Amino acid sequence: MMEMTSEEKSTISSLSKCDFTYMGQYFKAQSEARKQMTKDEKQKIKEENERLLKEYGFCIMDNHKERIANFKIEPPGLFRGRGNHPKMGMLKRRSMPEDIIINCSKDSKVPEPPPGHKWKEVRHDNKVTWLVSWTENIQGSIKYIMLNPSSRIKGEKDWQKYETARRLKKCVDRIRNQYREDWKSKEMKVRQRAVALYFIDKLALRAGNEKEEGETADTVGCCSLRVEHINLYTELDGQEYVVEFDFLGKDSIRYYNKVPVEKRVRSSHWCPLAVSFGEEGIAGVI
């Protein structure tokens, strides 16, 4: 991927005045050429990919050969993000070897960097599961290369989640009885927490958390809902005490639902839950 030089940046003041016709024709021609490839050409590409997989796609962990999820670092390009991301269209720069941290055991063979380059760091941290990390330039977040979901360590993580679900089954009735009792609490924060638990339980809403304004898309969960995300109805479509939800959840997927609730939830607690906290939502009290 090529970037504009300093001279080009000073000359070109508006991309709307640029003619990208030839560039578009080039990429269309590249796409057509891939479609017209012969069986032998496709086979050569397949064999090359298999060679790369064999060389870079596996590691040895605790004397077991484990598959690596994705051994290729994200290429440069324009940042898309999820939903209507405020940083959409920014340039995602190419990651160089000098940006890369390698994590491996002390007695292992460290991969050679490309000629003329060196790794940012080689560390031997056996308390983490990532093999490679680097910091991307758009949001300053750390990216990782991890083991494949089929690996033993990933399987153990999934097993732990299932075990947590099994433990929850034994105490979920007690939790439900507790949040119903908390609806009667004299302390507003306790009542609000109880209502949030009620909706997470009944509607399987994601909990949600606070985010830096302007850094990510405006997505919310149960504990970060704002006034504009809900409407309250004493009666709607023949049902009493209805709460209407309309917000963007994870990955900017719209959540829209009309839910009849118990009278105590509707009349006493849900209303102050949203209204009293206004733009900040209720994450601060959960």
Side-chain angles (χ1 to χ4, degrees):
M1 180 177 179
M2 297 183 65
E3 300 178 27
M4 286 195 297
T5 63
S6 300
E7 184 180 350
E8 289 170 333
K9 288 179 181 179
S10 62
T11 303
I12 300 173
S13 58
S14 175
L15 291 178
S16 62
K17 298 178 181 179
C18 298
D19 184 3
F20 293 101
T21 303
Y22 294 113
M23 188 180 294
Q25 291 175 349
Y26 169 79
F27 284 111
K28 285 181 181 179
Q30 292 291 308
S31 177
E32 288 299 319
R34 285 193 293 269
K35 293 178 183 178
Q36 300 299 325
M37 283 195 299
T38 64
K39 187 176 180 179
D40 290 340
E41 289 174 329
K42 292 179 180 178
Q43 182 62 30
K44 287 181 180 179
I45 293 175
K46 182 180 178 181
E47 290 174 355
E48 175 62 16
N49 289 335
E50 289 176 348
R51 184 190 69 79
L52 291 174
L53 176 63
K54 186 176 180 180
E55 183 174 356
Y56 301 108
F58 296 89
C59 70
I60 302 298
M61 188 184 73
D62 297 337
N63 296 320
H64 291 281
K65 189 176 182 179
E66 299 280 10
R67 175 80 179 268
I68 298 173
N70 185 10
F71 54 86
K72 296 181 180 178
I73 287 181
E74 299 172 1
L78 297 180
F79 178 72
R80 173 61 182 87
R82 292 170 173 167
N84 188 23
H85 200 286
K87 293 189 176 182
M88 185 192 308
M90 292 185 66
L91 179 63
K92 184 168 62 174
R93 300 187 183 280
R94 184 182 299 279
S95 297
M96 301 300 290
E98 287 74 15
D99 303 318
I100 305 301
I101 298 175
I102 303 291
N103 187 36
C104 59
S105 57
K106 293 181 180 180
D107 59 348
S108 64
K109 180 183 177 182
V110 179
E112 290 292 332
H117 294 275
K118 63 179 181 180
W119 303 123
K120 178 180 180 180
E121 181 185 347
V122 176
R123 64 175 63 169
H124 313 292
D125 188 352
N126 60 4
K127 296 182 177 62
V128 297
T129 59
W130 56 266
L131 307 173
V132 174
S133 75
W134 69 97
T135 302
E136 54 88 23
N137 68 290
I138 301 296
Q139 301 182 88
S141 60
I142 301 176
K143 299 286 187 177
Y144 299 100
I145 289 180
M146 314 281 283
L147 294 177
N148 191 276
S150 63
S151 65
R152 178 179 60 84
I153 195 166
K154 290 287 187 179
E156 288 177 353
K157 293 289 185 182
D158 289 341
W159 176 78
Q160 291 172 3
K161 292 178 184 177
Y162 296 136
E163 287 301 307
T164 300
R166 289 189 180 96
R167 292 197 301 273
L168 176 61
K169 182 182 178 181
K170 297 177 182 178
C171 59
V172 68
D173 290 334
R174 177 173 56 81
I175 294 172
R176 286 167 176 162
N177 291 334
Q178 182 62 55
Y179 70 60
R180 287 176 181 276
E181 283 297 316
D182 287 344
W183 291 344
K184 306 171 187 176
S185 173
K186 294 181 180 180
E187 189 176 349
M188 180 179 287
K189 288 184 178 181
V190 175
R191 299 199 305 270
Q192 291 172 336
R193 182 182 62 193
V195 173
L197 280 171
Y198 170 79
F199 281 111
I200 291 171
D201 180 24
K202 296 299 180 183
L203 303 179
L205 298 179
R206 298 178 69 88
N209 62 338
E210 295 176 316
K211 296 186 291 188
E212 292 292 331
E213 185 177 351
E215 291 296 315
T216 57
D218 185 22
T219 59
V220 297
C222 183
C223 300
S224 50
L225 289 169
R226 301 191 297 272
V227 175
E228 63 266 28
H229 298 136
I230 64 170
N231 287 306
L232 307 175
Y233 301 95
T234 304
E235 184 177 348
L236 182 68
D237 299 332
Q239 295 178 310
E240 290 186 322
Y241 313 120
V242 175
V243 177
E244 181 184 46
F245 296 88
D246 192 357
F247 61 89
L248 294 181
K250 182 177 171 61
D251 295 341
S252 294
I253 296 174
R254 185 190 182 196
Y255 179 90
Y256 181 79
N257 199 3
K258 297 176 183 177
V259 186
V261 299
E262 297 181 34
K263 182 178 179 179
R264 187 182 293 274
V265 173
R266 162 61 181 85
S267 60
S268 302
H269 308 297
W270 184 245
C271 190
L273 181 69
V275 175
S276 65
F277 283 85
E279 293 298 321
E280 296 180 0
I282 63 170
V285 302
I286 300 302

